[in-house]
Amino acid sequence: MRARSRLAALGAAAVLTGTLLTGCSSAGTTAQEREAAVVHYEADYPTYASAAEVVGASDVIVRGTVLSSRVEELWPQVSTEGDPAANPQAGLGAQEAAAVQPVVVTVSTLQVTEVLKGTVTVGSTIEVSQLGGQLAGRRYVDAGTTLLSKGAASEYVLLLADHGAGAPLDLVNPAQGLFRVAGGTSLESVGGPEAGLGLASVEGLKAEVAQQQ
């Protein structure tokens, strides 16, 4: 298990900047307008230059389908110490640190149908956390994140980071770590061909995993 940036370990709302696009608190705001409120997140994620890099960075690679999902608030652990390059909250005053807001995430439960890397077992369920979701009449959106969807036709291959017992897994990168399975064997990157890093089939991904073992 490698230590790297993860939604639950962001620690800093400074890493995520939210912009509310509608005036939800104004007295004249209608219920319909409040429902349409959107908060846009901007987040920094590790990026990878090749298939070998993204596979090497993954603790777990699985194929699976979504059983259910829930939206919840994730409260970062606040620490104002350390290197600002590693901890964006370093140097914040007590008042600023106290003002850190929760991050809205969608946690999906998936049934694993195939394991390409890692100690997960076929038939088990895993939880995967992604930034964004709809909560309390507001929609929270990260432009780089495609939320997992439930449905018989929605089968995914996910390249995941493992952060220990009790914590959901998350994608090593929201675009480079998530593929839809098409036709049973083809992989379609949610981020488009460039984000797919040449990984176009399940067999090709298996071959890359095997090369690194």
Side-chain angles (χ1 to χ4, degrees), residues 17-60:
T17 60
T19 304
L20 184 61
L21 295 189
T22 60
C24 295
S25 60
S26 63
T29 302
T30 66
Q32 184 176 5
E33 287 171 334
R34 286 196 297 272
E35 285 294 324
V38 178
V39 175
H40 282 263
Y41 285 135
E42 294 180 6
D44 293 325
Y45 299 99
T47 56
Y48 305 94
S50 66
E53 282 190 14
V54 74
V55 168
S58 303
D59 299 309
V60 174

Side-chain angles (χ1 to χ4, degrees), residues 100-183:
V100 169
Q101 296 296 307
V103 173
V104 172
V105 297
T106 297
V107 181
S108 299
T109 300
L110 291 90
Q111 182 153 36
V112 176
T113 57
E114 186 174 6
V115 178
L116 286 73
K117 182 179 180 181
T119 58
V120 177
T121 57
V122 173
S124 66
T125 59
I126 60 172
E127 288 192 334
V128 176
S129 180
Q130 295 178 281
L131 182 61
Q134 183 138 351
L135 186 69
R138 289 183 181 173
R139 190 162 59 94
Y140 296 81
V141 177
D142 172 40
T145 295
T146 300
L147 294 176
L148 295 163
S149 62
K150 181 181 177 182
S154 298
E155 187 178 20
Y156 297 96
V157 166
L158 306 93
L159 287 74
L160 300 160
D162 182 353
H163 302 279
L169 302 165
D170 61 6
L171 297 162
V172 293
N173 176 286
Q176 295 178 313
L178 181 59
F179 297 81
R180 294 187 183 92
V181 181

